[in-house]
Amino acid sequence: MPPRDITAPSVGGVSTLDAEARIMSLTGGAGAPRKHTAAEVEVHSTPEDLWVIVHGKVYDVTTFVPRHPGGNMIWVKAGGDCTQLFDSYHPLKTQAVLDKYYIGEVQRVKGDEDKIIEYKDDMKKGKFYMDCKVAVERYFKDTKQDPRVHVEMYIKTAVILLGVVVCNYCTFFLTSSFLVSAVFAALHGMWKAEVGVSIQHDANHGAYGKNRGFLHAMQLTLDAVGASSFMWRQQHVVGHHAYTNVEGIDPDIRCAPEKDIRRVNEHQPHEGYHPFQHVYLFFAYGLLSFKSCFADDFNAWASGRIGWVKVAAFTQGESAQFWGAKAVWAAYYLALPAMYSPHSFLRLAALITITEVVTGWLLAFMFQVAHVVGDVRFFQLSEEGKVNLGWGESQLYSSADFAHGSKFWMHFSGGLNYQVAHHLFPGVCHCHYPALAPIIMKVAKEYGLEYAIYPTFWAALTAHFTHLKNVGQKTYVPSLQTVG
């Protein structure tokens, strides 16, 4: 039976029917809606059989999969609670589309606290996040721009990919001079990092272009430089973006129950070596790319988990892409230089190390200054699996910007210097963020909410290592401003 269509009065394309009225219109007012447990919804977790939970309601979106503008993003958390992802990635009018696929309500049972994380509802009139969305959508409508399209993004993509190809060749094959090759290796590492923060980052957020085939190709640029776009979406989109800085949930701040190398907030266990973490982590961050390409992707595949996140099952296509891309990368990055480079194996190892360390440093530094500094908040769940504020406010409080107004840092960091805009609107191309930030800041000011901005990247990086030093002390006490 096809989904029922509904017609509702609207303001600016947003339905004015409240949730209960919408559901009554969908069910025809005939009795109570059917109840589904989270475990029952989890069974429907493939593109051919896809259910999702949004705001406590269950939707069967299987028939919409082929038409989803974001392509494979629709099943990034198939069978799970997609409330935060739905709200942040879609314009307000999309709710009316989703309502057509409504099939029932969630029946919460014991144990669901770890499956359905609840924030206070801020998707209604008079709330910070709703006002931000209305204002940003009005901006794009008034300026007649597409949120996922920006000419500068296409230009920088061509430059970055050309840089990767040229520097890869020059590092391994251009000359027998190790010094010259080392310079190209460092540049190669920079361009690889730029793939990570710019091209694949937008694409794997569904924020790059209107063509699904092109979007998917840009997603795979991460696989082309050694890491898995599939695993990245699982960790970064499903875990980090939905539950930023939530202790025990956000995989980007996760730590082992004991003996973890890093401590980023007062809720995490303290070890005797943590007072020195601001020193040794500087060097350890250089191993990030090594770890991602050679270990983390395979560990996630084998264990089925990335911290709290339960890794989704591969489709046949995703499996082929994962293993095929790893093979292609190993062939051009490891095997071909070993066979045809004028450098010895020892020098090749050194060149690869230079490339990967530069990539690791740039990625770590630009991502860590956004959420692991003293001016942001970390959150703990209640026993019921709830966060005691709205999701939009939690993103504002857990993120920090830097270098507003700098065209260089906007492009070099892939818009990460506008982290608040990125977290509130991850489905928007980062080249639009400089225009969105003042809009968000205006709304935040109206609500009396703090907005953290560092004047320069250096100030943000200093704040990160200062925070690591402070939280590394056993007696660390956070300021009242950042207690979450």
Side-chain angles (χ1 to χ4, degrees), residues 191-238:
W191 290 121
K192 282 186 63 177
E194 285 302 301
V195 171
V197 298
S198 291
I199 305 173
Q200 77 83 24
H201 190 242
D202 273 28
N204 282 299
H205 276 298
Y208 193 177
K210 301 172 70 172
N211 181 277
R212 284 180 292 181
F214 176 79
L215 173 68
H216 188 55
M218 294 301 99
Q219 290 176 334
L220 293 175
T221 58
L222 181 60
D223 300 76
V225 294
S228 167
S229 58
F230 175 91
M231 295 303 178
W232 190 92
R233 289 192 298 275
Q234 291 296 297
Q235 174 170 337
H236 192 76
V237 176
V238 174

Side-chain angles (χ1 to χ4, degrees), residues 39 113 173 241:
E113 312 82 35
F173 306 109
H241 262 261

Side-chain angles (χ1 to χ4, degrees), residues 82-328:
C82 297
T83 300
Q84 294 76 30
L85 299 180
F86 178 81
D87 287 345
S88 59
Y89 279 88
H90 297 90
L92 295 169
K93 64 182 180 182
T94 311
Q95 181 65 57
V97 177
L98 182 66
D99 284 341
K100 299 177 182 181
Y101 301 92
Y102 171 83
I103 59 172
E105 304 282 312
V106 170
Q107 180 178 332
R108 298 197 62 154
V109 298
K110 187 175 181 180
D112 283 352
E113 312 82 35
D114 197 41
K115 296 179 180 179
I116 302 176
I117 311 300
E118 290 188 10
Y119 291 79
K120 287 187 175 180
D121 184 9
D122 55 3
M123 286 299 293
K124 54 188 178 184
K125 187 177 180 180
K127 295 295 183 180
F128 165 70
Y129 191 36
M130 174 59 85
D131 283 3
C132 280
K133 288 185 74 71
V134 170
V136 167
E137 289 185 20
R138 184 183 302 120
Y139 163 78
F140 281 113
K141 181 178 180 181
D142 291 346
T143 59
K144 296 180 172 59
Q145 296 183 82
D146 189 311
R148 295 189 294 169
V149 175
H150 198 292
V151 65
E152 292 179 12
M153 187 63 194
Y154 295 101
I155 296 171
K156 72 184 293 185
T157 293
V159 172
I160 291 169
L161 294 180
L162 181 62
V164 170
V165 172
V166 170
C167 289
N168 181 81
Y169 173 81
C170 293
T171 297
F172 298 123
F173 306 109
L174 177 66
T175 176
S176 59
S177 169
F178 179 76
L179 182 60
V180 173
S181 294
V183 171
F184 279 111
L187 292 173
H188 188 200
M190 181 196 73
W191 290 121
K192 282 186 63 177
E194 285 302 301
V195 171
V197 298
S198 291
I199 305 173
Q200 77 83 24
H201 190 242
D202 273 28
N204 282 299
H205 276 298
Y208 193 177
K210 301 172 70 172
N211 181 277
R212 284 180 292 181
F214 176 79
L215 173 68
H216 188 55
M218 294 301 99
Q219 290 176 334
L220 293 175
T221 58
L222 181 60
D223 300 76
V225 294
S228 167
S229 58
F230 175 91
M231 295 303 178
W232 190 92
R233 289 192 298 275
Q234 291 296 297
Q235 174 170 337
H236 192 76
V237 176
V238 174
H240 170 64
H241 262 261
Y243 312 109
T244 311
N245 279 13
V246 177
E247 178 58 29
I249 305 295
D250 182 354
D252 279 9
I253 63 166
R254 70 188 186 276
C255 71
E258 58 181 14
K259 305 300 181 184
D260 199 279
I261 190 175
R262 195 171 77 141
R263 185 186 195 227
V264 301
N265 63 60
E266 70 276 12
H267 308 306
Q268 296 177 341
H270 185 273
E271 302 295 343
Y273 45 78
H274 284 151
F276 310 102
Q277 65 176 358
H278 62 291
V279 177
Y280 63 72
L281 282 175
F282 174 85
F283 301 98
Y285 283 159
L287 302 176
L288 174 65
S289 185
F290 268 126
K291 187 168 176 284
S292 296
C293 298
F294 291 96
D296 288 350
D297 290 340
F298 301 107
N299 288 339
W301 170 78
S303 67
R305 301 202 74 90
I306 303 174
W308 170 83
V309 175
K310 181 180 178 182
V311 176
F314 281 145
T315 64
Q316 286 186 343
E318 288 166 341
S319 179
Q321 288 166 6
F322 179 85
W323 294 109
K326 287 292 185 184
V328 170

Side-chain angles (χ1 to χ4, degrees), residues 346-383:
L346 185 61
R347 286 189 171 187
L348 284 175
L351 292 172
I352 290 172
T353 298
I354 292 170
T355 296
E356 296 302 312
V357 167
V358 170
T359 301
W361 269 337
L362 289 176
L363 291 175
F365 293 160
M366 286 192 281
F367 278 107
Q368 291 302 310
V369 300
H371 302 293
V372 185
V373 290
D375 292 310
V376 305
R377 301 187 187 185
F378 298 87
F379 310 104
Q380 281 190 304
L381 293 177
S382 68
E383 293 182 359

